[in-house]
Amino acid sequence: MYRILRELLRLGRVGETPPRTERDPSSASPLVFRHSLGIRHVDAGSCNGCELELNALGGPHYGLEQAGFHFGASPRHADVLTVTGPVTRHMVAALQDCHNAMPEPRRVIAIGDCACGGGAFRGSYAVMGSAAEVLPVDLQIPGCPPDPDALLRGLLQVSGERING
């Protein structure tokens, strides 16, 4: 144990701090936000392509956590509900329960072509339809899957409505 502590004291901080650069105000910069935004994500029956792009937002390139956004496990601590995939019959009640458990003001974002309009699964016996047919959707981000920049722009748009409105 002492050997490890001595080595830590000898080396100091190994990683370098990133240089501060001027960034576009629409990008995820900690200086842009005054409040944090809790996100609750529900996969209503997707192929996980949209989830991969949402996970990319958590990497160092986009810095979602540094911008004040965080994914939460409980809808009671969330401000935004993101929905991916077509809403299947078995997920309708769970999706509505999650939405009802969120405090006001709450926003709903439909991510991907499947959540926006049913996608390739529309008309299937197991699919109820898009997220807008089950919940009041505030923002739709189309794409199969949408790129992380589009997701970040959508989150910024919703956070601006939340801060100003």
Side-chain angles (χ1 to χ4, degrees):
M1 173 94 169
Y2 289 115
R3 183 183 56 83
I4 294 171
L5 290 174
R6 274 193 305 257
E7 189 70 16
L8 285 174
L9 289 174
R10 184 182 70 80
L11 290 176
R13 290 184 75 180
V14 177
E16 296 179 13
T17 57
R20 294 295 291 176
T21 59
E22 293 296 322
R23 297 181 74 179
D24 183 8
S26 65
S27 69
S29 172
L31 303 175
V32 175
F33 301 103
R34 287 180 252 140
H35 301 285
S36 65
L37 191 72
I39 303 167
R40 173 69 174 137
H41 175 68
V42 174
D43 179 358
S46 74
C47 67
N48 292 332
C50 296
E51 281 77 14
L52 289 173
E53 301 300 325
L54 276 172
N55 285 335
L57 288 177
H61 182 71
Y62 295 99
L64 196 67
E65 294 276 337
Q66 294 173 351
F69 298 129
H70 63 278
F71 285 95
S74 171
R76 300 194 193 288
H77 300 266
D79 303 307
V80 174
L81 175 65
T82 58
V83 181
T84 58
V87 180
T88 59
R89 294 188 186 278
H90 296 291
M91 284 300 293
V92 172
L95 191 60
Q96 289 172 340
D97 289 344
C98 182
H99 182 261
N100 293 336
M102 292 174 58
E104 293 285 343
R106 56 186 169 219
R107 303 280 191 249
V108 178
I109 301 176
I111 297 176
D113 289 341
C114 295
C116 292
F121 304 103
R122 187 159 197 68
S124 170
Y125 67 93
V127 173
M128 292 295 292
S130 67
E133 295 174 23
V134 179
L135 298 175
V137 173
D138 296 303
L139 179 67
Q140 294 184 350
I141 303 174
C144 187
D147 60 310
D149 289 323
L151 296 174
L152 188 57
R153 281 192 302 273
L155 287 171
L156 287 168
Q157 182 179 349
V158 168
S159 71
E161 290 177 3
R162 181 177 170 265
I163 291 171
N164 297 331

